[in-house]
Amino acid sequence: MRFSRIQTPEGARICVVDDNGAARPVAFTDTGAPVETLQQIISGGRAALSRLKADDTAATGSLLAPITPHRNIFCVGRNYSEHAAEFARSGFDATDNNTDPVPEHPVVFTKPAASVIASGELVDPHVDITSTLDYEGEIGVIIGKRASKVSKDEAMNYVWGYTLINDVTARDLQHSHKQWFIGKSLDTFCPMGPWAVSADEIDIDDLQLQTRINGELRQDANTAQLIFDVPTIIETLSAGITLEPGDVIATGTPVGVGIGFDPPKYLAPGDEMIVSAPGLGELRNVIAGVDAPEALTRIGSGRLFVEKTGSGPAVVLIHGLGGASTVYEPQVEALAEQHTVLRYDLSGHGRSPALGPNSIENWVDELVALLDTEGLDRVDLVAHSMGTLVATTFAATHPDRVGHLALLGAVRAQNEQAQSATRARARTVREGGMQAVADTIVAAALSTETKVARPVAVAAVRELLLGQDPAGYANACEALAAATEPKFTDIVAPTLLITGDEDKVSPTAVNEQLAESITDSRLEILDRVGHWHTVEDPARVTAMLVDFLSR
């Protein structure tokens, strides 16, 4: 089974992750008690897995590290031959390797549990004390029961499961201190996750580990290449150190780290690191700093890309599927003359890392957290496409917090046929990337006149789509397909509905139905416009929004 840990409104919850990436909170069937830590499952042994029951609905909230070790993480250094050689050549190895970079015995060090962060969180580059930041993708072993003086033959009986680890390292500190603890133990230097996966799901003897930096494949090796395999590591550690349930062991990194290049490829602010392995998911983190997206705002344990412009009453702009905050670029200047314009990338979109499993409810909670972080009790909302489900759900459940509601290309919950098509698109993107669907979406979503006479708009939409993270987009497709319909009759805010006469996603009939359901609403239809209203007819959309929000 695959487990994630989510910070929900009710507190931290362990969730089982299905094949579509949805995470549902689990409880023990005999007690009904929700599971808050992975240690609760580990301590129950293998039988605990059969005592779990998952909720029917997905969890909403921020992604946490799947396990919170109660003591240091055990780490093995120089455990792939080619990496041992590249490390020796780099000049950063201050240890005595006796001219042979391949160690005779496992080289073990530790990282403090306090350095652990979740997938999606920013890594602090600590620019005041280091300038040689490096990555190390690794497989983490999770111990399942107390292990003392365990033999290699019995060692795998003590393994509960696996996770991904990025052993972030300050190479200059690693070298100058003549040991590895300080250079590898700075705050945020141990990204872990996104999941913890039980041992029965993973073939640890044949597991492909990869690390990508800004999309470039840097590390690509198989655990069959380990110098010291997992049983040997456990035997070595447990010979004199009792391993406890929930202990985590990082098994070492393969060739391809930054110091192995000539010249070295050190990490810089804004760089994205992705560590992945089949069955274990993708561990994604970005290096923070002055050149990273400064507008990343902390929301719970994660961050969102947020931009603020202007002054006055706040208006929040929410984009749709395949979009980002830049879709409102033509409107921002005019809106900012009278408003504080707050636009952001939904988690898993644009420049916002994934904070957890995607769902409309998750994004609503995210919006609540964003407003609370900004100290905003009441705002105007402008939303497009899938974002209108976020906005209408928020407006229906938090009516006192919405002054005006503008819905561009409003959508409702999908019928069964549309759900199947959306999930099929998710599969296509996972297999072929955004390029597999971008041109098809552009052709279907824009009006005839836009495709013929508005090349800038066509290019803008295509670039938005191609710039999306495929995994984030596919997860958002699944969230849209699973969306339930808000209670439109509970919306009390004055509402403006805008659609295009060639909008196939949000046709006029759908908007007329919504106008009938929302008490104080009016509908505007743009001529010769498809679904991407803000870029297809920016002047008229801007004028409509400025007029509506000023009332």
Side-chain angles (χ1 to χ4, degrees):
M1 301 177 74
R2 294 178 295 184
F3 296 96
S4 62
R5 189 164 179 253
I6 307 294
Q7 183 65 47
T8 73
E10 294 76 33
R13 295 289 185 267
I14 294 296
C15 303
V16 63
V17 181
D18 65 22
D19 291 339
N20 295 321
R24 294 177 293 149
V26 294
F28 288 115
T29 54
D30 50 351
T31 65
V35 182
E36 299 176 349
T37 68
L38 191 66
Q39 281 89 340
Q40 291 175 269
I41 297 175
I42 294 172
S43 63
R46 294 294 177 189
L49 297 177
S50 62
R51 293 169 46 222
L52 298 176
K53 180 181 180 181
D55 287 358
D56 294 331
T57 57
T60 60
S62 303
L63 183 66
L64 304 172
I67 188 169
T68 52
H70 62 282
R71 56 181 182 170
N72 283 8
I73 297 140
F74 298 97
C75 304
V76 182
R78 298 190 347 224
N79 202 20
Y80 288 81
S81 298
E82 290 184 68
H83 169 64
E86 74 174 347
F87 185 44
R89 291 192 302 269
S90 72
F92 282 90
D93 187 357
T95 64
D96 179 13
N97 61 29
N98 297 316
T99 71
D100 184 357
V102 178
E104 295 181 20
H105 307 283
V107 177
V108 179
F109 61 96
T110 63
K111 294 170 79 83
S115 66
V116 173
I117 60 173
S119 180
E121 289 198 79
L122 292 174
V123 171
D124 185 346
H126 296 277
V127 293
D128 55 333
I129 56 175
T130 181
S131 59
T132 56
L133 200 63
D134 209 347
Y135 54 88
E136 292 191 2
E138 307 197 15
I139 303 297
V141 177
I142 302 170
I143 296 298
K145 57 183 179 179
R146 178 171 287 188
S148 177
K149 302 187 186 304
V150 173
S151 69
K152 287 175 59 175
D153 292 341
E154 295 293 325
M156 296 307 294
N157 295 328
Y158 292 82
V159 174
W160 180 88
Y162 304 95
T163 189
L164 293 171
I165 290 174
N166 188 343
D167 177 19
V168 180
T169 305
R171 296 297 184 187
D172 44 7
L173 298 182
Q174 180 185 21
H175 180 267
S176 61
H177 286 274
K178 309 301 180 186
Q179 46 72 42
W180 296 357
F181 182 78
I182 291 179
K184 290 175 172 285
S185 299
L186 305 185
D187 293 346
T188 73
F189 269 26
C190 191
M192 183 184 295
W195 310 321
V197 182
S198 58
D200 58 310
E201 297 275 342
I202 303 297
D203 181 2
I204 194 59
D205 296 322
D206 182 20
L207 187 63
Q208 200 71 17
L209 173 66
Q210 296 182 325
T211 302
R212 287 178 168 82
I213 306 300
N214 299 325
E216 177 190 357
L217 182 62
R218 298 276 186 88
Q219 295 182 287
D220 188 11
N222 194 283
T223 52
Q225 299 169 273
L226 285 168
I227 299 171
F228 304 107
D229 60 12
V230 172
T232 300
I233 295 169
I234 292 175
E235 180 184 62
T236 301
L237 288 172
S238 69
I241 302 171
T242 300
L243 301 178
E244 299 288 349
D247 277 348
V248 178
I249 304 170
T251 56
T253 198
V255 68
V257 297
I259 56 170
F261 292 89
D262 185 15
K265 294 183 177 181
Y266 296 123
L267 295 167
D271 284 349
E272 181 187 49
M273 307 173 288
I274 301 177
V275 182
S276 64
L280 294 178
E282 293 184 338
L283 174 63
R284 295 169 173 264
N285 298 90
V286 172
I287 305 299
V290 293
D291 295 325
E294 290 182 335
L296 282 175
T297 299
R298 179 168 289 281
I299 302 296
S301 64
R303 299 199 179 213
L304 295 177
F305 182 85
V306 181
E307 293 178 291
K308 287 193 291 186
T309 311
S311 61
V315 55
V316 178
L317 312 181
I318 308 172
H319 65 79
L321 177 65
S325 61
T326 52
V327 76
Y328 292 106
E329 193 68 39
Q331 287 73 46
V332 170
E333 183 178 355
L335 292 176
E337 292 179 3
Q338 300 293 329
H339 296 81
T340 297
V341 179
L342 191 71
R343 52 179 172 153
Y344 69 104
D345 292 344
L346 296 170
S347 60
H349 292 74
R351 290 153 288 184
S352 288
L355 299 185
N358 290 139
S359 69
I360 299 300
E361 293 76 17
N362 169 228
W363 287 317
V364 169
D365 290 342
E366 183 175 281
L367 176 58
V368 171
L370 175 60
L371 299 188
D372 291 345
T373 299
E374 296 289 336
L376 298 172
D377 294 325
R378 185 177 174 87
V379 298
D380 295 334
L381 291 180
V382 177
H384 173 242
S385 192
M386 183 185 72
T388 66
L389 282 173
V390 178
T392 52
T393 301
F394 178 84
T397 54
H398 300 81
D400 57 327
R401 302 195 70 170
V402 182
H404 294 78
L405 180 64
L407 306 175
L408 286 67
V411 297
R412 308 186 66 164
Q414 294 186 329
N415 59 33
E416 188 173 343
Q417 182 178 1
Q419 289 173 353
S420 297
T422 302
R423 290 188 173 114
R425 189 193 308 176
R427 291 192 296 272
T428 299
V429 168
R430 287 194 177 100
E431 294 171 359
M434 291 303 301
Q435 63 269 23
V437 299
D439 290 337
T440 300
I441 294 173
V442 168
L446 301 177
S447 71
T448 301
E449 182 167 317
T450 295
K451 287 180 284 188
V452 172
R454 301 166 185 151
V456 174
V458 175
V461 173
R462 190 173 188 276
E463 288 305 308
L464 264 176
L465 292 167
L466 290 175
Q468 296 298 321
D469 170 59
Y473 182 87
N475 289 340
C477 287
E478 298 287 354
L480 177 59
T484 57
E485 193 150 287
K487 196 171 182 181
F488 294 110
T489 54
D490 285 350
I491 297 174
V492 297
T495 301
L496 172 65
L497 295 156
I498 299 177
T499 192
D501 62 353
E502 295 184 44
D503 191 336
K504 300 180 180 66
V505 178
S506 179
T508 301
V510 168
N511 286 268
E512 290 173 341
Q513 293 167 6
L514 293 176
E516 292 178 1
S517 299
I518 301 173
T519 303
D520 186 2
S521 63
R522 64 185 176 92
L523 171 61
E524 297 284 353
I525 301 174
L526 301 169
D527 297 331
R528 302 180 298 281
V529 170
H531 187 58
W532 291 77
H533 319 87
T534 59
V535 295
E536 290 190 76
D537 198 346
R540 279 194 290 175
V541 170
T542 301
M544 289 177 182
L545 291 177
V546 168
D547 175 69
F548 173 66
L549 296 176
S550 65
R551 296 185 180 186

